């Protein structure tokens, strides 16, 4: 989980594995998302090694990157999936994923989504409120079924990450306050369409310290122990996702260290029989992708220098949304000299928030191709067509080969579904 070694300069040109990014930009145009299959496998291996011999299931938090090629790779590696919508369930099935390894999270599940997930036979619904529990019981029992559930509890721990991606605090919309959970579990035992199987939490994203996980775990252990004393037995504990990646110089959680402590604490609490479920998203894909973009214009003013590129906030929203930092690497770097300027790398969209990087000292010429690094997670999946910009193509590199795993959208497709009013 270090900065993607699968993207490296060779003979002066940035490559994805054995494929030159200059060649890919020429062949497919820019902006262009490029993923490395080997980097996906590396990230998966990090979890597989840390969990070796343990009763565990890794469910890829697929909202980070839901391309079918990515899903099918993880599925073949044995992953389950953490889904948050009926659309994501359909993607899992289309990619050949095992619905028996799917957990269904999200605060606003609709009846049709519950039905589809029951029909598919998902492993577990992570229920986030009492009204959701009631609805799920009704949907399941009217079809003569019982839905397997965990309650997503909110352990009120501070993941110490960006407020938009912190989800385990009392004031967040997610989950059931942990103090209220026992009562909701009791209610669940009395509902005809519900089978209790676990407990779940997800405290945030881009977490770089172990302590919030361990604090949450201790609270969950207490809850599980109290439930057990009441005769409510759980089979699994889901600690969610959230492990951070290196965008710049972050110190990272070492999965082995974290999970060894988790299993140790479970064992000490007499809960060694529980299956550990995890929902990592970002840490499986974030550093497995880059966004290629071509410099269009260099614009200089007294206050600022701008590199105006052909990618924008509609392609990569994270800088605008979270003030996120992404590395910027010229695909064919030019030597930096004392005359080299610092640039804000910005897109063509009519918003001041349309920027990808700020104050980067780069030697640039129009026509240069830049790689926006660490763009494998919450990148394409958050893209839009704002300003009527077709979304980029997505490429998966595998050794010396590359595959188009999503075609560039066409201009016509932008208004395919629209009609003008009839003229009277
Ligand atoms: C987004 C999300 C994840 C994945 O989070 P990462 O920070 O990408 O690992 C896991 N579980 C739930 C419920 C989520 O909403």
């Amino acid at each position: 989980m270090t900065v993607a070694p699968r993207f490296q300069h060779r003979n002066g040109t940035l490559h994805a594995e054995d494929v030159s990014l200059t060649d890919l930009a020429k062949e497919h145009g820019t902006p262009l998302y490029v993923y490395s299959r080997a980097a996906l496998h590396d990230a998966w291996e990090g979890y597989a090694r840390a969990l070796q011999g343990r009763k565990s299931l890794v469910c890829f938090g697929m909202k980070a990157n839901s391309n079918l090629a990515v899903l099918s790779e993880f599925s073949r590696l044995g992953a389950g999936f953490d889904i948050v919508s009926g659309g994501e369930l359909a993607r899992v099935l289309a990619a050949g994923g095992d619905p028996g390894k799917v957990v269904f999270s999200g605060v606003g599940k609709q009846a049709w989504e519950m039905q589809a997930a029951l029909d598919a036979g998902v492993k577990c619904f992570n229920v986030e409120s009492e009204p959701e529990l009631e609805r799920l019981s009704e949907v399941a029992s009217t079809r003569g079924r019982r839905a397997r559930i965990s309650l997503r509890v909110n352990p009120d721990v501070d993941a110490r990450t960006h407020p938009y991606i912190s989800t385990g605090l009392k004031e967040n919309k997610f989950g059931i306050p942990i103090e209220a959970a026992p009562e909701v579990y009791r209610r669940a035992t009395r509902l005809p369409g519900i089978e209790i199987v676990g407990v779940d939490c997800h405290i945030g994203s881009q977490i770089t310290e172990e302590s919030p996980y361990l604090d949450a775990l201790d609270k969950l252990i207490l809850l599980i122990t109290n439930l057990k004393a009441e005769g409510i037995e759980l089979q699994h504990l889901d600690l969610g996702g959230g492990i951070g990646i290196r965008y710049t110089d972050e110190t990272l959680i070492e999965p082995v260290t974290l999970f060894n402590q988790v299993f140790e604490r479970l064992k000490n609490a007499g809960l060694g029989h529980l299956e550990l479920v995890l929902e990592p998203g970002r840490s499986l894909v974030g550093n497995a992708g880059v966004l290629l973009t071509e410099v269009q214009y260099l614009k200089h003013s007294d206050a600022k220098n701008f590199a105006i590129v052909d990618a924008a906030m509609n392609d990569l929203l994270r800088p605008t949304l979270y003030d996120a930092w992404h590395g910027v690497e010229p695909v064919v770097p030019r030597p930096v000299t004392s005359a080299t300027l610092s640039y804000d790398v910005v897109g063509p969209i009519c918003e001041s928030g349309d920027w990808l990087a700020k104050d980067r000292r780069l030697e640039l010429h129009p026509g240069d191709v830049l790689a926006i690094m660490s763009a494998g997670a919450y990148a394409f999946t958050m893209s839009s067509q704002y300003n009527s910009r077709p979304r980029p193509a997505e490429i998966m590199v595998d050794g010396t080969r590359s595959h188009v795993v999503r075609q560039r959208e066409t201009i016509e497709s932008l208004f395919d579904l629209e009609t003008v009013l009839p003229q009277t």
Side-chain angles (χ1 to χ4, degrees), residues 247-387:
Y247 287 97
T248 165
D249 56 0
E250 295 90 343
T251 52
L252 299 180
I253 290 174
E254 201 47 68
V256 188
T257 323
L258 173 61
F259 299 135
N260 281 349
Q261 292 179 80
V262 169
F263 287 111
E264 188 64 27
R265 286 183 194 207
L266 286 175
K267 202 175 104 211
N268 292 342
L271 300 173
H273 60 285
L274 290 184
E275 179 188 32
L276 179 69
V277 177
L278 299 167
E279 304 169 350
R282 185 191 314 272
S283 52
L284 285 176
V285 289
N287 272 326
V290 299
L291 172 61
L292 299 183
T293 183
E294 189 189 79
V295 178
Q296 302 299 302
Y297 304 103
L298 298 178
K299 186 169 171 179
H300 308 281
S301 73
D302 291 346
K304 279 270 184 198
N305 301 299
F306 294 103
I308 301 169
V309 299
D310 63 3
M313 62 184 278
N314 74 297
D315 305 304
L316 181 65
L317 187 61
R318 297 191 66 258
T320 306
L321 186 60
Y322 308 125
D323 212 7
W325 194 98
H326 285 263
V328 178
E329 302 261 0
V331 168
V332 182
R334 301 170 186 278
V336 171
T337 71
S338 55
T340 298
L341 302 172
S342 282
Y343 288 96
D344 282 7
V345 180
V346 302
I349 284 185
C350 307
E351 299 276 350
S352 297
D354 180 26
W355 59 277
L356 299 174
K358 286 185 174 166
D359 279 322
R360 304 300 170 89
R361 192 144 181 265
L362 297 165
E363 189 57 40
L364 297 178
H365 291 196
D368 287 358
V369 177
L370 306 177
I372 312 295
M373 306 304 289
S374 311
Y378 305 106
F380 187 89
T381 50
M382 283 189 171
S383 65
S384 77
Q385 299 167 332
Y386 187 40
N387 278 214

Side-chain angles (χ1 to χ4, degrees), residues 170-191:
K170 267 202 177 109
E171 61 260 35
N172 298 128
K173 70 177 175 181
F174 300 101
I176 293 162
I178 194 156
E179 313 78 48
E183 192 46 49
V184 183
Y185 272 107
R186 280 176 219 128
R187 175 95 187 94
T189 61
R190 298 191 293 268
L191 289 172

